[in-house]
Amino acid sequence: MRDKMKLKIGIYGLTSCYGCQLRMASIKDILEVSKNFDIVCWKMMSSKGEIEPCDIAFVEGSVTTEKDEEEVKMIREKSKVVVAMGSCAIHGGVQGSLFGEDYKKIFKEVYGENSIYYKARIGEPLKKYIKVDYNLPGCPPEENELVYYLATFGIGSYPEEKDYPVCAECRRNGYPCVLIEKNESCLGSLTVAGCNARCLAHNVACIGCRGPLPHNVAWFDSLALTFKDKKIDKEAIKKRMEIFGKQSGKIDEIVEKVFR
Ligand code: SF4
Ligand code: SF4
Ligand code: SF4
């Protein structure tokens, strides 16, 4: 009787490193957690891997081939809710950072005269092809956020996306500021929080792997002064933000606001 009440979950991967699915698989209590759901498809964990009707689809990876496009549209058709999981699915990811450049030219530089049998293109985020209901950021997402998304869906609620920057987590942890102290172009102030300032814990500047903030923050003016004071220019910040989030649609807007 209880099984009929379980949410049906699909976990899918388009073109990607499969790191988000691996992160999902390595949740500490995944076997316990998964008992609460009926997992109808999990591409990485099953040789069957067919797209099945489900309540929630978690999709990682970017649309990089014609097959990806067909798959993501089918996933949308068969799922009540679609979650873009990870930077590739949300913003196109690293493989989407070449968006706007000539695919054939880049292909030739990498593969020479070799050819491939499927129709490929530079990676694009899910939102360019289908309606996405929720974004679960990260490269890959953090375990606690994955569990939070599963748990909120599991109780019939919905997850709230964070709207504050990595700086907030960095300050809360009391890490030294690499921007102020080492003149490094840290993107923590422009990147959506959730990783608990993972890189700053190791004194390494944030490169924005979780993607740009969804909203502006109050300290953009003082941030611009700090960047200028440190001789970090607009183009350098933009280029860095584009590594993971080129197709977010927010980068130009944020950078212009910071450096206006
Ligand atoms: S978001 Fe990162 S971890 Fe996830 S599939 Fe893309 S590259 Fe891999
Ligand atoms: S700029 Fe970087 S180092 Fe400084 S507070 Fe923000 S996240 Fe931390
Ligand atoms: S600190 Fe920045 S680069 Fe490091 S995990 Fe967090 S968002 Fe990604």
Side-chain angles (χ1 to χ4, degrees):
M1 205 40 204
R2 187 167 176 268
D3 280 6
K4 285 188 184 160
M5 304 296 289
K6 284 183 181 176
L7 278 180
K8 288 187 182 347
I9 301 274
I11 302 163
Y12 300 100
L14 306 175
T15 301
S16 61
C17 77
Y18 270 40
C20 295
Q21 290 187 74
L22 185 62
R23 196 72 196 88
M24 183 85 98
S26 62
I27 289 174
K28 195 165 137 269
D29 294 316
I30 188 63
L31 294 178
E32 210 49 46
V33 172
S34 61
K35 280 185 198 158
N36 299 310
F37 303 97
D38 182 6
I39 300 177
V40 296
C41 175
W42 191 339
K43 278 240 171 181
M44 195 182 78
M45 305 290 274
S46 156
S47 51
K48 185 170 156 255
E50 278 163 24
I51 299 165
E52 303 277 354
C54 69
D55 296 301
I56 324 273
F58 289 85
V59 188
E60 74 161 17
S62 63
V63 179
T64 311
T65 62
E66 206 168 70
K67 186 165 169 284
D68 283 339
E69 183 179 342
E70 284 164 15
E71 274 191 29
V72 81
K73 286 179 175 166
M74 189 170 305
I75 291 168
R76 178 70 271 185
E77 260 175 45
K78 295 196 173 194
S79 315
K80 291 183 191 154
V81 166
V82 172
V83 181
M85 176 168 65
S87 289
C88 297
I90 302 172
H91 301 302
V94 175
Q95 67 270 35
S97 64
L98 294 170
F99 189 74
E101 296 188 32
D102 183 344
Y103 176 81
K104 283 190 183 147
K105 187 169 159 275
I106 290 165
F107 183 91
K108 204 168 173 190
E109 276 172 24
V110 178
Y111 298 106
E113 295 305 324
N114 293 306
S115 58
I116 47 173
Y117 66 91
Y118 49 83
K119 292 185 180 158
R121 63 192 84 158
I122 288 170
E124 293 175 272
L126 269 51
K127 66 185 174 196
K128 292 208 177 171
Y129 292 90
I130 59 161
K131 177 179 174 283
V132 170
D133 301 298
Y134 299 99
N135 295 305
L136 171 47
C139 181
E142 299 292 322
E143 174 169 339
N144 62 358
E145 283 195 307
L146 283 163
V147 172
Y148 166 67
Y149 274 59
L150 287 167
T152 48
F153 286 131
I155 59 166
S157 184
Y158 56 89
E160 283 188 67
E161 294 174 26
K162 292 189 174 64
D163 63 354
Y164 55 90
V166 171
C167 274
E169 297 175 325
C170 184
R171 297 296 80 221
R172 197 169 62 212
N173 281 304
Y175 301 142
C177 179
V178 295
L179 172 63
I180 305 288
E181 294 184 16
K182 289 166 72 182
N183 277 17
E184 290 190 13
S185 43
C186 182
L187 290 187
S189 52
L190 308 172
T191 302
V192 67
C195 60
N196 200 25
R198 181 176 287 278
C199 300
L200 291 316
H202 302 282
N203 218 11
V204 174
C206 172
I207 56 168
C209 82
R210 293 175 57 84
L213 274 173
H215 305 295
N216 302 331
V217 291
W219 62 73
F220 273 5
D221 286 352
S222 57
L223 180 62
L225 289 176
T226 310
F227 280 154
K228 280 177 190 158
D229 187 43
K230 303 283 175 196
K231 302 202 177 355
I232 298 168
D233 71 21
K234 190 168 152 181
E235 282 313 306
I237 291 292
K238 191 169 168 229
K239 217 168 169 189
R240 223 167 188 220
M241 288 182 78
E242 285 179 349
I243 298 172
F244 290 91
K246 181 156 189 188
Q247 298 173 68
S248 74
K250 286 285 295 180
I251 291 180
D252 283 338
E253 188 192 325
I254 287 186
V255 171
E256 286 309 322
K257 279 194 173 140
V258 169
F259 286 92
R260 77 184 159 194

